[in-house]
Amino acid sequence: MKKQVTVLSTIAFAGTASAHVVVYPQEATQGSYEKFTVRVPTEKDIPTTKVKIDIPKDVEISRFEPKEGWKYELQKDSSGLITSVTWTATDAGLSPTEFGEFNMQGKVGDNAKKIVWKAYQTYKDGSTVAWEGPADADTPASITTVVKGNGAEGDSHTSATNETTATNEETTNDSNATLPTTLSTIALALGVISLIFSLRRKKQS
């Protein structure tokens, strides 16, 4: 009986832990432009009517996809960078059996290592769940892991390759330019030698 209770508790916890606000993709590349999708499930018996996402400095968000039945509002810092976006339902919102996806687009930082997305989900009764804790928390923030891009290495490799190719081409061109002169010199020398031998034969005869 205890084993059954343990199994049921584990299943229940897994279901609860997995049903939270998640931002996709969960892996991105430094310096890349990405479409980020915020997936929001409703966990209560009342609708979700508002979703707020804090935009960390590791990513620069610039575009948002319109979503029917929702409006969005942006907050910016003194330099004009977007620091948060709040979607608010203009209709019924997300019912207890529904989830919603909110899309935005932006550039991952060139030196970013991970993007921590803090989200705040508000229900119709005014209660808010703050998804901002660590990975092992009951209400964890979604994290996008950022991997190194090969842009810098690729540029260096390309530059080195181009430089080598250019050097080889220059050497080839120089060789091609020198070849006619060399052949002309050899031909002239052979002609002189032939003339000398011809004169000697005439004197001997």
Side-chain angles (χ1 to χ4, degrees), residues 156-170:
S156 299
H157 177 71
T158 301
S159 298
T161 302
N162 291 340
E163 185 176 350
T164 301
T165 302
T167 302
N168 291 338
E169 289 178 353
E170 184 177 351

Side-chain angles (χ1 to χ4, degrees), residues 6-43:
T6 301
V7 171
L8 291 174
S9 299
T10 302
I11 294 174
F13 174 79
T16 303
S18 62
H20 59 269
V21 175
V22 180
V23 180
Y24 296 94
Q26 294 188 297
E27 182 177 286
T29 303
Q30 290 177 343
S32 65
Y33 288 85
E34 293 283 355
K35 171 186 174 182
F36 294 98
T37 299
V38 185
R39 182 174 296 173
V40 182
T42 292
E43 296 181 295

Side-chain angles (χ1 to χ4, degrees), residues 44-100:
K44 295 186 177 183
D45 293 332
I46 51 178
T48 294
T49 56
K50 185 184 295 185
V51 178
K52 178 183 177 182
I53 297 289
D54 285 344
I55 310 298
K57 294 182 179 181
D58 299 287
V59 62
E60 184 177 343
I61 298 297
S62 57
R63 297 288 185 274
F64 299 87
E65 184 178 64
K67 184 175 177 64
E68 186 176 357
W70 294 79
K71 63 179 181 179
Y72 65 88
E73 181 180 359
L74 306 178
Q75 286 188 341
K76 301 180 180 181
D77 62 16
S78 57
S79 64
L81 290 177
I82 298 172
T83 57
S84 72
V85 54
T86 302
W87 288 276
T88 304
T90 57
D91 202 350
L94 301 173
S95 73
T97 58
E98 295 178 336
F99 73 91

